[in-house]
Amino acid sequence: KTTSGNGCNNNNDVSVVCLPQCHWADGSLLDLATISRVCTERNVALVVDATQSIGAHPFSVQDIDADCVACSVHKWLLGPHGASLVYVPQRNYDSWLPLDQHDRARLCNDGDLWDASMNKMHGGSVQRDGAGYPEEFDYGARRLDAGGRPNPILLPMLRAALEIVAEYDIEQVQATLAAVNEKVLEGARQMGFTTTPGPRAGHILGLRPGTPELKEKLTPEEMIRIGKRLEGRGIFISVRCGAFRISPYLHTTDEEIQQLLIGLADECCDDDDTRAKFVSSNQPT
């Protein structure tokens, strides 16, 4: 929608749509395949921030015909902070310009002819000899790289992480994580939690207060305090947009699921009988 709240029926209303594959707070899925078709019909560029999904949820650039897919590697790609990956389809190679203007994006970056006449680097009159730096961009998506030099420590770490993820069946990863979160949701519903209706990715679960009692108790500030107290018990969750965000991984065990549910019950169930019953029912056998 436009800022006026009207549907973007006019092609001039929107130039670029930037969306995730799933919401970072609760895993709500967007139908990017349909969105990409609509964007194509209306000549609107689609940029996808896939940080919250690539590596844990299937993603196809054939089905989702985005003009750009960007992804920080520090989440589901198991990589280090400080690096990200970008996919740009070939149709945009010659028309998209980089945000950074630097030498590494230029054709003569790694060549021996940096100062040659053909690169207009030898100074003199700008009109005659050029501006003192090469103007022709490198081929392909490399022209869009950021400036500076790649961190020599991060790149081997990123390669090792990608090699691990590349061995996974991502559909199986998604199914495994969805099963973990279903167990969490089943227990959390007994405490009065709910989640956003509609299609959801399986690897992210957002637990929201569902009963009047929980809604009154779990103010944003109290949810943050509960998150901090759970950290002291070795339970790490996030508070995002009014929800406890649960993001398990392949190593999550049933015992850890029980530990999470017991912690939430201790913090969120005011009724002693209800809390004791729930905690008892989730004790390891």
Side-chain angles (χ1 to χ4, degrees):
K1 289 186 178 294
T2 63
T3 53
S4 64
N6 299 319
C8 52
N9 294 322
N10 187 331
N11 286 351
N12 295 325
D13 288 338
V14 176
S15 298
V16 179
V17 170
C18 183
L19 296 168
Q21 186 179 23
C22 66
H23 198 282
W24 60 88
D26 56 20
S28 297
L29 275 174
L30 281 69
D31 185 355
L32 289 183
T34 298
I35 292 171
S36 69
R37 289 194 292 271
V38 173
C39 287
T40 300
E41 292 169 0
R42 302 187 180 186
N43 197 29
V44 173
L46 175 61
V47 176
V48 176
D49 177 358
T51 300
Q52 297 287 347
S53 56
I54 282 186
H57 193 283
F59 188 100
S60 169
V61 294
Q62 283 75 40
D63 296 335
I64 303 170
D65 188 21
D67 290 280
C68 177
V69 181
C71 180
S72 177
V73 303
H74 74 281
K75 288 185 177 286
W76 303 99
L77 290 178
L78 311 182
H81 284 271
S84 62
L85 301 175
V86 173
Y87 164 82
V88 178
Q90 189 171 356
R91 64 176 180 269
N92 294 328
Y93 284 177
D94 296 330
S95 58
W96 281 32
L97 297 177
L99 295 175
D100 284 356
Q101 298 292 324
H102 56 86
D103 64 299
R104 290 181 56 239
R106 310 292 173 164
L107 273 178
C108 63
N109 169 45
D110 295 323
D112 297 326
L113 302 178
W114 175 266
D115 211 47
S117 298
M118 62 179 290
N119 293 323
K120 301 180 180 180
M121 285 290 292
H122 56 284
S125 168
V126 172
Q127 289 77 19
R128 186 188 69 206
D129 298 320
Y133 51 82
E135 297 179 352
E136 295 298 320
F137 288 111
D138 208 338
Y139 301 112
R142 184 176 178 181
R143 64 193 280 160
L144 303 176
D145 278 349
R149 291 289 173 180
N151 189 317
I153 301 301
L154 294 184
L155 292 184
M157 296 168 65
L158 173 56
R159 176 174 178 167
L162 293 178
E163 287 175 347
I164 293 172
V165 176
E167 292 293 322
Y168 290 157
D169 179 337
I170 299 301
E171 291 188 359
Q172 185 59 48
V173 169
Q174 178 65 194
T176 299
L177 299 181
V180 172
N181 272 332
E182 279 302 312
K183 294 179 181 179
V184 174
L185 181 57
E186 180 182 357
R189 280 176 171 152
Q190 298 179 44
M191 304 177 219
F193 284 100
T194 187
T195 191
T196 304
R200 287 187 296 105
H203 60 288
I204 298 177
L205 173 64
L207 297 179
R208 301 183 183 277
T211 63
E213 295 79 12
L214 273 185
K215 291 179 180 179
E216 181 178 359
K217 175 183 177 65
L218 297 182
T219 63
E221 294 76 15
E222 180 60 16
M223 292 181 75
I224 292 173
R225 287 192 287 267
I226 289 174
K228 292 295 184 182
R229 290 196 292 268
L230 290 177
E231 284 185 18
R233 301 173 63 162
I235 302 169
F236 296 89
I237 60 177
S238 301
V239 179
R240 296 288 186 270
C241 302
F244 288 126
R245 184 179 70 185
I246 316 299
S247 303
Y249 200 56
L250 301 176
H251 49 66
T252 301
T253 65
D254 286 343
E255 288 74 18
E256 289 168 332
I257 296 172
Q258 293 170 349
Q259 183 184 7
L260 167 62
L261 293 174
I262 292 169
L264 287 174
D266 286 343
E267 292 287 350
C268 302
C269 295
D270 288 332
D271 183 81
D272 291 338
D273 292 337
T274 301
R275 183 171 64 249
K277 179 181 178 182
F278 179 83
V279 172
S280 174
S281 67
N282 283 281
Q283 291 290 354
T285 57

